[in-house]
């Protein structure tokens, strides 16, 4: 069973991820309205105020989040220059900095024994076995590289591309790519581990197509599930 500290850390990570996703989804569509309402300089100044408040609150954030400090400082610097110079590009560069910061978050998590992906996996599936660690580290590297590539694409469009293309890529194009990568990774993971713990409809179909007993990794997964259920049954009998 996860410790209370680990459960709290995992919940905070999930909340941070959800808040980041909502903000990134909304920003490309809200920024144009903000510019039309306030103008470039005032928009930069308003968002600079928000970023400075966020930087102040970050000092009180639990250390388990391990958030790098530089993205907030970079956002404040870019918005400050935008407010001074009246450069619209400053507002369009913000998502690129956020994505690069998220990429760095994944990269930094690899300094720990349990990477960010592993912590997320154990929050979703607390009974996940230890042998997923190496795979989770590989997937953490994948997401770090993907998010960094997204940051480069957004920055290039912000500086050199038309606004409608920046909005399309930042608003939905990148999420379509991420959804495709997530879907592909799910099928690769299921086929790689053949870990059919819950036995739901998908597990039943996939276990017929890719039986666990046909590979060494699948047999390892099946043995882990067998031992887990046996120990859970023994614990239930002891409590009863």
């Amino acid at each position: 069973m996860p410790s209370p500290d680990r459960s709290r850390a995992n919940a905070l990570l999930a909340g941070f991820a959800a808040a980041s996703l909502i903000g990134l989804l909304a920003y490309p569509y809200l920024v144009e309205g903000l510019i039309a309402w306030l103008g470039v300089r005032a928009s930069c100044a308003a968002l600079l105020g928000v970023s400075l408040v966020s930087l102040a609150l970050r000092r009180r954030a639990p250390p388990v989040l391990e958030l790098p400090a530089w993205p907030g400082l970079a956002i404040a610097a870019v918005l400050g220059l935008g407010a001074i110079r009246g450069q619209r590009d400053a507002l369009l560069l913000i998502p690129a900095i956020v994505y690069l910061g998220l990429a760095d978050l994944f990269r930094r998590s690899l300094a720990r024994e349990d990477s960010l992906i592993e912590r997320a996996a154990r929050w979703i599936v607390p009974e996940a076995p230890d042998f997923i660690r190496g795979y989770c580290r590989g997937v953490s590297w994948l997401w770090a590289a993907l998010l960094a590539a997204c940051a480069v694409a957004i920055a290039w469009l912000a500086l050199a591309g038309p606004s409608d293309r920046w909005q399309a890529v930042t608003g939905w194009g990148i999420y379509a790519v991420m959804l495709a990568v997530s879907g592909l990774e799910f099928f690769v993971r299921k086929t790689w581990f053949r870990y059919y713990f819950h036995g739901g409809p998908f597990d039943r179909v996939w276990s017929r197509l890719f039986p666990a007993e046909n590979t060494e990794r699948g047999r390892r997964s099946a043995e882990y599930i067998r031992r887990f259920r046996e120990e859970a049954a023994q614990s239930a009998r002891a409590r009863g």
Side-chain angles (χ1 to χ4, degrees):
M1 179 179 293
S3 66
D5 287 343
R6 172 167 286 193
S7 298
R8 180 169 174 265
N10 290 339
L12 286 168
L13 285 170
F16 170 73
S20 299
L21 179 60
I22 292 170
L24 287 172
L25 281 169
Y27 186 84
Y29 301 101
L30 296 178
V31 69
E32 293 294 341
L34 187 64
I35 292 171
W37 179 38
L38 297 177
V40 172
R41 281 191 169 87
S43 296
C44 288
L47 292 179
L48 175 59
V50 173
S51 69
L52 292 176
V53 171
S54 298
L55 284 171
L57 292 176
R58 180 190 178 279
R59 301 185 65 177
R60 299 185 179 183
V64 293
L65 288 178
E66 300 173 351
L67 299 176
W70 69 263
L73 297 173
I75 288 172
V78 168
L79 289 172
L81 287 173
I84 294 170
R85 298 183 177 180
Q87 291 178 319
R88 190 171 178 276
D89 294 348
L91 294 164
L92 304 187
L93 283 171
I94 301 307
I97 299 172
V98 174
Y99 278 114
L100 199 58
L102 292 174
D104 194 33
L105 181 64
F106 277 92
R107 183 192 65 81
R108 286 168 180 255
S109 78
L110 291 162
R112 291 176 44 140
E113 189 178 15
D114 54 340
S115 63
L116 190 59
I117 289 293
E118 182 180 348
R119 276 175 272 165
R122 293 191 185 283
W123 181 71
I124 297 169
V125 186
E127 72 278 358
D130 289 338
F131 57 72
I132 68 171
R133 178 154 293 161
Y135 179 88
C136 288
R137 291 183 71 83
V139 176
S140 293
W141 272 118
L142 170 67
W143 279 101
L146 179 62
L147 289 165
C150 291
V152 171
I154 291 171
W156 182 81
L157 288 171
L159 297 172
S163 297
D164 57 345
R165 187 171 298 175
W166 173 88
Q167 187 181 67
V169 170
T170 308
W172 62 267
I174 282 174
Y175 295 100
V177 172
M178 289 183 179
L179 186 61
V181 170
S182 297
L184 179 61
E185 187 276 323
F186 172 80
F187 287 108
V188 168
R189 176 176 12 110
K190 276 294 186 180
T191 308
W192 179 264
F193 287 112
R194 307 192 179 196
Y195 183 80
Y196 307 124
F197 184 88
H198 295 291
F202 180 86
D203 278 3
R204 290 196 294 271
V205 171
W206 214 247
S207 64
R208 292 191 184 99
L209 295 173
F210 302 97
E213 61 271 16
N214 284 5
T215 67
E216 182 180 350
R217 285 184 296 272
R219 290 190 292 271
R220 179 180 60 180
S221 294
E223 175 61 17
Y224 175 85
I225 293 170
R226 184 193 67 76
R227 284 190 284 106
F228 183 91
R229 289 174 175 166
E230 186 177 90
E231 292 170 4
Q234 289 175 354
S235 298
R237 286 196 295 270
R239 288 195 302 269

